Every structure is written in C-alpha cells, then in structure tokens.
Amino acid sequence: MAIVNEHYLKLASGYFFPEISRRVAAFAEANPALAPRIIRCGVGDVTEPLPAVAVEALRSGAEDLGRREAFRGYGPATGYASVREAIARVDFRERGIAIGADEVFLSDGSKPDASAFVEILASGTPAAGGNRIAVCDPVYPVYVDNNVMAGNTGPALEGGGYEGLTYLPATPANGFVPEPPREPVDIAFLCFPNNPTGAVATRSQLARWVDWALAHDALLCFDAAYEAYVRDPALPRSIFEIRGAERCAMEFRSFSKNGGFTGVRAGYTVVPKALEGRTRSGTRVSLHQLWSRRWATCSNGVSWPVQKAMEALCSPQGQAEMRALVDFYMGNAAILREACRAQGLRVWGGEHAPYVWVECPRGLGSWDTFDLLLAEAQLVVTPGAGFGRHGEGFFRISAFNSRASVEEAGRRVSVLVNALAQK
Ligand SMILES: *Cc1c(COP(=O)(O)O)cnc(C)c1O
C-alpha cells in the first residue's frame, strides 16, 4: 500500500475558507427568506470582468493555435522571452529597478509559485537542521501550509500556529508591520500591501528588513500581489526598490488582483541572478540556477493565450485598463473604510490595499463577530482568527465586489454596532 506524506495530516482542520462557506450555507438553509440578502465580502476574489485588451489577447492567442501558420506547441518552460522582457521593462526597468528578463519566471499564479519555491529550499524542521522560517501573524495561510506540507514545521499548536515556525506579531502597536526578528531566522515571508491587514511597509521599514537579511544571510520571500494598490508614490511597490535586495530577496507577482486574472491564472516570480542560498556544508549556490532547473523539470510553462494576455497587460492600453480596475476596487475600499469609521470602529488598511481590517467591537471574538454579522446583517466577512493567533479580535472586509453590494454592505455595518448596543 502507498505510504502517504504524513505532513499533510498536520494541517489544522484545513483552510478556513471552507468553514466560512459551511456557516454561510447553514445560515442560508435555516433562513431561506434571508438567503438572497447575503453579501459576500469574505473571500478575496475579484468580481469585475477582464480588461478588454486581455480578452482580445486571449481570443487571438486561441486563434493562433487554430491556424497552421501561427500554431505553437511547447514553449520555453519559464515563458517566452518577449513576454518576460515586457514584464521586466514595464514593472521594473521603467521604474528604475534593474531586473533582467531572464530573472522573470512566468507561472500560473503566486499560490502555485509559493508552493513550488519551497521545493528548492531544504526541508525539515529547524530542530532537524532545516530552515528557521518566519512569517507575520496574521498571515496569508498559503506560506504556512506549504511549509507544513514540506515537513518544515512540527505539529499544529493548541490555539493556532505550528511548532517550529517563528511568528512575528503584526499588531496595532507596530502598525501591522513587524520588525525583523532578533532571533536567528533563515527565511522570512513578507507581504506588502498585506493580506489580510491591508498594511503597507514604508521604504525605511523594508530597508530595515533588507539590511537585516543581508547582515544575517537570510532570504526574504516578498509577496507583492497587491503592489498595484499602492496609491502613494513614496511607498515601495517592490522589494527590489530597496538597495541590496537583489542579494537577499525574491518576489512573487500575480496578475490576479491587478488584471482580474484569478480565473485566468497568471503570475511570475523574480529571482535575481545575484541571489544565493547555501548547502548544509556551507557552499554557496545560485537560487536562480536551482529555480531555472526546477522549471525545466517540473513544468512546460504557461499556455500561449495566457502569455499573450500577460504581454497585452504590459501595453500602455493594458496598464491603463488595469489602473481603472484597481481604482474601482479602491473606491470600494474607501466606502467600506468610511462606513466602519462612521460607526466608531477602529479600522486599518483600505488605503493602499483592497482589504479593510477592523477591530471587533466590545472585545468580541472574531468568529462571534462573523456569526453576528451573518445573522443580523447577512454580511459575510473573514474572521481574523483564521489568519493566525494575532488575527483574533479583528475581521477583514474585502473590497472585491460590485459597487452596489459594497454600498449596501457599508450600510449594514451599522447593524453590528446597533445589535451590540442592545445587548
Ligand atoms: C490573491 C493573492 C495572491 C495571488 O495568488 P494567485 O495564485 O496568483 O491567484 C498572492 N498572494 C496573496 C497574499 C494573495 O492574497
């Protein structure tokens, strides 16, 4: 009989979004009259149609495959040079960042990239000589779960988290941007603008992380999925805006939240040629080389129509359409933020991110707040506790929705406050 990867069995009751779906479905079944009123501001998935340039590129890419003269079979595993070049130019060089086309690796999204990148790093718990890995708390659960599945942690801990991981509390006191740890760490996962808190790191905060990583020979895995949501040009949109980052950081990028590609599937990683890891015995190894090798063996790349769509998003027209899409969601975020503030709730995020992070009123727990909002207002949010211990006492509202739903959701926030006032 096949022996399974038992690390999967450590995963704490699974991803918490299924639990949200379960509670919403149970409520809808018990209250059929209220079910049509439910507004979902829980899962962070886009709602608006694709930019027209992307649709046209997907269509023409599909047509290419249907014509003998334009047909293409296998492409390069890490993407066509012209697409990698367009990305390196538009997302980096035109912003003064020296990233080469051969440092850009095209993929079907950041979630699979975050999983795959763990494969080129040593596995095992810190106690068994593996990497010491730091994550912020609360955190996008994907970074944690991948490391659990790879055997890089101990078992789940009572009350959240896993043995062997280093958790960096993100709290109101540090503006949800943790300082680098004092204890030794080999790899840190960072995400700014942040999911779930909406916090964004300043240039000097990121510079402290880069200086720390260079001083301690640590690797930063920087998730920039929400970079397009940064409104203030003084705030960094890439870790590579920080001097020295090419020697200590890699970056995850996605077309999901800027181009609305959550269902198309497209993203990329930036792994600089100067970036190194080491063997257990201390020999330095190019991570760019290992990552290239991994792609050559494990993938045949991204489909031609999708690569064409990525390139189209890099055109001036594509950039303008993406900006319009992001502006729309940021308009939603402003409405939700103001609605919560008007009710006297403490609110963070929503200014450079499509997420509004709200403190639960009157010391309520985050699942209790979730249940109350569902029952009293038919409003679905994400309980902060699902993102980690330090997410307890908060909830996340996603700005990914139609304008009409967001305006209605904003009005219903008052129901939470009123319901509590009557208790
Ligand atoms: C949505 C999201 C992504 C994007 O994932 P894809 O697989 O590219 O759709 C990456 N990181 C974070 C934190 C996200 O919220």
Side-chain angles (χ1 to χ4, degrees):
M1 189 176 252
I3 302 168
V4 302
N5 177 350
E6 291 183 34
H7 299 308
Y8 279 56
L9 307 182
K10 293 181 202 159
L11 291 169
S13 74
Y15 207 41
F16 70 105
F17 284 105
E19 174 60 16
I20 294 178
S21 304
R22 195 192 62 73
R23 292 193 190 201
V24 174
F27 175 82
E29 194 174 312
N31 304 275
L34 292 175
R37 267 178 56 86
I38 293 173
I39 297 179
R40 290 162 212 272
C41 293
V43 179
D45 193 3
V46 298
T47 55
E48 300 307 297
L50 296 185
V53 285
V55 176
E56 182 44 40
L58 289 167
R59 181 188 295 127
S60 97
E63 280 167 9
D64 289 345
L65 300 182
R67 287 187 299 123
R68 184 168 300 281
E69 319 79 76
F71 177 78
R72 292 172 187 239
Y74 289 129
T78 50
Y80 284 100
S82 67
V83 186
R84 301 170 81 189
E85 171 56 29
I87 288 172
R89 179 171 51 76
V90 168
D91 284 348
F92 299 96
R93 286 208 304 279
E94 286 179 0
R95 297 189 197 163
I97 307 169
I99 292 293
D102 54 359
E103 294 172 313
V104 171
F105 297 75
L106 307 190
S107 76
D108 60 337
S110 289
K111 196 177 187 182
D113 278 337
S115 170
F117 200 74
V118 168
E119 292 170 22
I120 69 164
L121 302 166
S123 59
T125 61
N131 288 299
R132 284 155 302 183
I133 298 166
V135 295
C136 299
D137 176 7
V139 64
Y140 179 53
V142 168
Y143 320 133
V144 172
D145 289 0
N146 281 314
N147 280 297
V148 173
M149 290 149 89
N152 300 344
T153 74
L157 296 167
E158 196 75 39
Y162 290 87
E163 200 179 290
L165 282 184
T166 300
Y167 288 92
L168 309 174
T171 63
N174 59 22
F176 299 97
V177 181
E179 287 288 319
R182 284 175 210 276
E183 62 204 274
V185 158
D186 301 300
I187 303 168
F189 285 85
L190 297 176
C191 173
F192 295 110
N194 188 261
N195 177 9
T197 65
V200 60
T202 62
R203 196 170 295 275
S204 67
Q205 285 171 322
L206 279 194
R208 275 208 292 286
W209 272 99
V210 167
D211 291 347
W212 168 86
L214 290 171
H216 294 88
D217 247 341
L219 171 67
L220 302 179
C221 294
F222 189 79
D223 186 342
Y226 296 98
E227 55 82 29
Y229 289 80
V230 172
R231 309 270 92 179
D232 180 350
L235 291 168
R237 290 170 60 167
S238 166
I239 191 77
F240 299 115
E241 289 182 39
I242 310 300
R243 187 190 299 270
E246 73 285 354
R247 286 179 286 125
C248 65
M250 59 80 61
E251 186 162 290
F252 297 107
R253 288 284 191 114
S254 170
F255 289 102
S256 285
K257 312 299 167 34
N258 53 7
F261 270 30
T262 55
V264 176
R265 308 305 309 140
Y268 65 91
T269 45
V270 179
V271 178
K273 289 191 165 160
L275 187 62
E276 291 178 327
R278 64 169 179 86
T279 63
R280 283 189 205 273
S281 59
T283 308
R284 298 184 81 90
V285 177
S286 159
L287 286 179
H288 183 278
Q289 258 170 33
L290 291 195
W291 191 228
S292 302
R293 191 69 185 79
R294 185 260 163 208
W295 278 92
T297 298
C298 303
S299 176
N300 281 313
V302 181
S303 78
W304 171 241
V306 171
Q307 290 198 53
K308 244 185 146 166
M310 289 193 209
E311 193 167 2
L313 290 180
C314 294
S315 67
Q317 171 81 15
Q319 296 283 298
E321 288 189 49
M322 280 206 291
R323 246 189 324 271
L325 204 52
V326 169
D327 286 350
F328 170 78
Y329 290 126
M330 287 310 288
N332 286 352
I335 291 168
L336 292 168
R337 201 180 138 83
E338 274 321 301
C340 292
R341 280 159 76 108
Q343 293 301 320
L345 297 167
R346 287 180 83 198
V347 179
W348 295 266
E351 288 180 307
H352 306 284
Y355 299 116
V356 178
W357 186 245
V358 190
E359 188 176 64
C360 300
R362 301 193 179 206
L364 218 57
S366 60
W367 277 108
D368 290 339
T369 307
F370 171 91
D371 288 336
L372 195 65
L373 274 168
L374 178 60
E376 303 288 338
Q378 291 77 58
L379 188 57
V380 181
V381 298
T382 315
F387 296 102
R389 280 169 191 263
H390 285 87
E392 180 54 274
F394 298 88
F395 63 94
R396 187 192 78 175
I397 311 185
S398 160
F400 292 123
N401 222 320
S402 68
R403 184 55 53 86
S405 290
V406 160
E407 284 172 345
E408 178 60 20
R411 284 190 284 274
R412 291 194 199 169
V413 169
S414 64
V415 174
L416 171 68
V417 176
N418 294 340
L420 283 171
Q422 281 162 20
K423 284 198 174 170

Tab-separated table of all heavy atoms in Angstrom, residues 108-112 140 143 191 195 223 225-226 254 256-257 262 265-266 355, ligand 1:
chain	number	residue	atom	x	y	z
A	108	ASP	N	1.554	30.143	-13.463
A	108	ASP	CA	0.093	30.211	-13.424
A	108	ASP	C	-0.395	30.833	-12.120
A	108	ASP	O	-1.543	30.626	-11.732
A	108	ASP	CB	-0.523	28.820	-13.640
A	108	ASP	CG	-0.098	27.827	-12.579
A	108	ASP	OD1	0.966	28.039	-11.942
A	108	ASP	OD2	-0.806	26.839	-12.355
A	109	GLY	N	0.449	31.610	-11.438
A	109	GLY	CA	-0.024	32.352	-10.269
A	109	GLY	C	0.891	32.225	-9.071
A	109	GLY	O	1.769	31.360	-9.004
A	110	SER	N	0.653	33.097	-8.104
A	110	SER	CA	1.524	33.166	-6.929
A	110	SER	C	1.295	32.025	-5.944
A	110	SER	O	2.210	31.640	-5.227
A	110	SER	CB	1.289	34.472	-6.181
A	110	SER	OG	1.801	35.533	-6.908
A	111	LYS	N	0.084	31.529	-5.895
A	111	LYS	CA	-0.174	30.446	-4.939
A	111	LYS	C	0.657	29.221	-5.334
A	111	LYS	O	1.395	28.686	-4.496
A	111	LYS	CB	-1.667	30.136	-4.898
A	111	LYS	CG	-2.086	29.325	-3.705
A	111	LYS	CD	-3.597	29.150	-3.737
A	111	LYS	CE	-4.111	28.483	-2.481
A	111	LYS	NZ	-5.561	28.271	-2.552
A	112	PRO	N	0.585	28.776	-6.609
A	112	PRO	CA	1.468	27.680	-7.010
A	112	PRO	C	2.960	28.031	-6.897
A	112	PRO	O	3.765	27.172	-6.542
A	112	PRO	CB	1.081	27.396	-8.467
A	112	PRO	CG	0.109	28.451	-8.873
A	112	PRO	CD	-0.421	29.088	-7.647
A	140	TYR	N	-1.243	35.369	5.368
A	140	TYR	CA	-1.858	34.624	4.268
A	140	TYR	C	-1.515	33.151	4.515
A	140	TYR	O	-0.332	32.806	4.558
A	140	TYR	CB	-1.242	35.144	2.975
A	140	TYR	CG	-1.663	34.539	1.665
A	140	TYR	CD1	-3.005	34.433	1.295
A	140	TYR	CD2	-0.698	34.119	0.749
A	140	TYR	CE1	-3.358	33.928	0.055
A	140	TYR	CE2	-1.047	33.613	-0.496
A	140	TYR	CZ	-2.383	33.514	-0.832
A	140	TYR	OH	-2.726	33.014	-2.065
A	143	TYR	N	1.595	30.499	2.791
A	143	TYR	CA	3.032	30.342	3.090
A	143	TYR	C	3.221	29.297	4.180
A	143	TYR	O	4.143	28.488	4.139
A	143	TYR	CB	3.687	31.634	3.585
A	143	TYR	CG	3.279	32.912	2.900
A	143	TYR	CD1	2.944	34.035	3.652
A	143	TYR	CD2	3.237	33.000	1.514
A	143	TYR	CE1	2.580	35.222	3.050
A	143	TYR	CE2	2.867	34.186	0.903
A	143	TYR	CZ	2.530	35.288	1.676
A	143	TYR	OH	2.153	36.460	1.085
A	191	CYS	N	4.610	40.160	3.023
A	191	CYS	CA	3.589	40.501	2.027
A	191	CYS	C	3.126	41.933	2.289
A	191	CYS	O	2.503	42.200	3.315
A	191	CYS	CB	2.410	39.532	2.148
A	191	CYS	SG	0.999	39.956	1.107
A	195	ASN	N	-2.174	41.149	2.843
A	195	ASN	CA	-3.396	40.395	3.034
A	195	ASN	C	-3.161	39.600	4.309
A	195	ASN	O	-2.188	38.855	4.353
A	195	ASN	CB	-3.615	39.449	1.847
A	195	ASN	CG	-4.841	38.580	2.010
A	195	ASN	OD1	-5.629	38.778	2.924
A	195	ASN	ND2	-4.993	37.597	1.140
A	223	ASP	N	5.976	38.886	-1.157
A	223	ASP	CA	4.751	38.737	-1.950
A	223	ASP	C	4.202	40.127	-2.264
A	223	ASP	O	3.738	40.839	-1.374
A	223	ASP	CB	3.732	37.917	-1.146
A	223	ASP	CG	2.483	37.580	-1.958
A	223	ASP	OD1	2.244	38.225	-2.986
A	223	ASP	OD2	1.750	36.666	-1.531
A	225	ALA	N	1.685	40.773	-4.449
A	225	ALA	CA	0.445	40.555	-5.210
A	225	ALA	C	-0.420	41.817	-5.293
A	225	ALA	O	-1.184	41.988	-6.225
A	225	ALA	CB	-0.357	39.417	-4.591
A	226	TYR	N	-0.288	42.692	-4.280
A	226	TYR	CA	-1.153	43.881	-4.220
A	226	TYR	C	-0.419	45.175	-4.536
A	226	TYR	O	-0.914	46.258	-4.198
A	226	TYR	CB	-1.823	43.951	-2.836
A	226	TYR	CG	-2.737	42.770	-2.596
A	226	TYR	CD1	-2.302	41.661	-1.874
A	226	TYR	CD2	-4.016	42.743	-3.147
A	226	TYR	CE1	-3.117	40.555	-1.692
A	226	TYR	CE2	-4.841	41.645	-2.966
A	226	TYR	CZ	-4.394	40.561	-2.236
A	226	TYR	OH	-5.211	39.476	-2.070
A	254	SER	N	1.619	38.614	-9.215
A	254	SER	CA	0.431	37.940	-9.724
A	254	SER	C	-0.375	38.905	-10.577
A	254	SER	O	-0.396	40.102	-10.305
A	254	SER	CB	-0.405	37.479	-8.534
A	254	SER	OG	-1.666	37.032	-8.974
A	256	SER	N	-3.554	38.371	-10.715
A	256	SER	CA	-4.895	38.082	-10.196
A	256	SER	C	-5.622	39.328	-9.716
A	256	SER	O	-6.801	39.512	-9.994
A	256	SER	CB	-4.801	37.078	-9.043
A	256	SER	OG	-4.538	35.793	-9.545
A	257	LYS	N	-4.936	40.178	-8.948
A	257	LYS	CA	-5.627	41.275	-8.291
A	257	LYS	C	-5.529	42.580	-9.070
A	257	LYS	O	-6.362	43.444	-8.902
A	257	LYS	CB	-5.099	41.453	-6.850
A	257	LYS	CG	-4.998	40.155	-6.037
A	257	LYS	CD	-6.331	39.472	-5.846
A	257	LYS	CE	-6.273	38.045	-5.315
A	257	LYS	NZ	-5.247	37.652	-4.394
A	262	THR	N	-7.830	36.052	-11.596
A	262	THR	CA	-7.900	34.921	-10.656
A	262	THR	C	-8.370	33.646	-11.351
A	262	THR	O	-7.946	32.551	-11.000
A	262	THR	CB	-8.817	35.233	-9.450
A	262	THR	OG1	-10.099	35.633	-9.939
A	262	THR	CG2	-8.263	36.348	-8.589
A	265	ARG	N	-5.419	32.645	-14.441
A	265	ARG	CA	-4.218	32.084	-13.825
A	265	ARG	C	-2.946	32.592	-14.506
A	265	ARG	O	-2.547	32.086	-15.552
A	265	ARG	CB	-4.222	30.536	-13.831
A	265	ARG	CG	-5.463	29.873	-13.266
A	265	ARG	CD	-5.806	30.309	-11.860
A	265	ARG	NE	-4.667	30.207	-10.979
A	265	ARG	CZ	-4.367	31.127	-10.046
A	265	ARG	NH1	-5.133	32.194	-9.872
A	265	ARG	NH2	-3.320	30.972	-9.281
A	266	ALA	N	-2.341	33.608	-13.932
A	266	ALA	CA	-1.069	34.109	-14.443
A	266	ALA	C	-0.345	34.894	-13.364
A	266	ALA	O	-0.955	35.676	-12.629
A	266	ALA	CB	-1.294	35.009	-15.652
A	355	TYR	N	-8.239	45.527	1.149
A	355	TYR	CA	-8.780	44.941	2.369
A	355	TYR	C	-8.862	45.978	3.470
A	355	TYR	O	-7.933	46.761	3.665
A	355	TYR	CB	-7.895	43.771	2.855
A	355	TYR	CG	-7.826	42.659	1.839
A	355	TYR	CD1	-6.626	42.321	1.238
A	355	TYR	CD2	-8.975	41.972	1.461
A	355	TYR	CE1	-6.569	41.318	0.282
A	355	TYR	CE2	-8.928	40.977	0.510
A	355	TYR	CZ	-7.731	40.646	-0.074
A	355	TYR	OH	-7.681	39.660	-1.019
B	1	LIG	C1	-4.623	36.660	-4.054
B	1	LIG	C2	-3.231	36.552	-3.511
B	1	LIG	C3	-2.194	36.077	-4.312
B	1	LIG	C4	-2.433	35.694	-5.742
B	1	LIG	O1	-2.476	34.332	-5.912
B	1	LIG	P1	-2.678	33.743	-7.370
B	1	LIG	O2	-2.350	32.296	-7.218
B	1	LIG	O3	-1.691	34.449	-8.261
B	1	LIG	O4	-4.088	33.992	-7.783
B	1	LIG	C5	-0.928	36.011	-3.775
B	1	LIG	N1	-0.673	36.403	-2.506
B	1	LIG	C6	-1.642	36.868	-1.713
B	1	LIG	C7	-1.300	37.302	-0.356
B	1	LIG	C8	-2.953	36.947	-2.187
B	1	LIG	O5	-3.905	37.406	-1.382
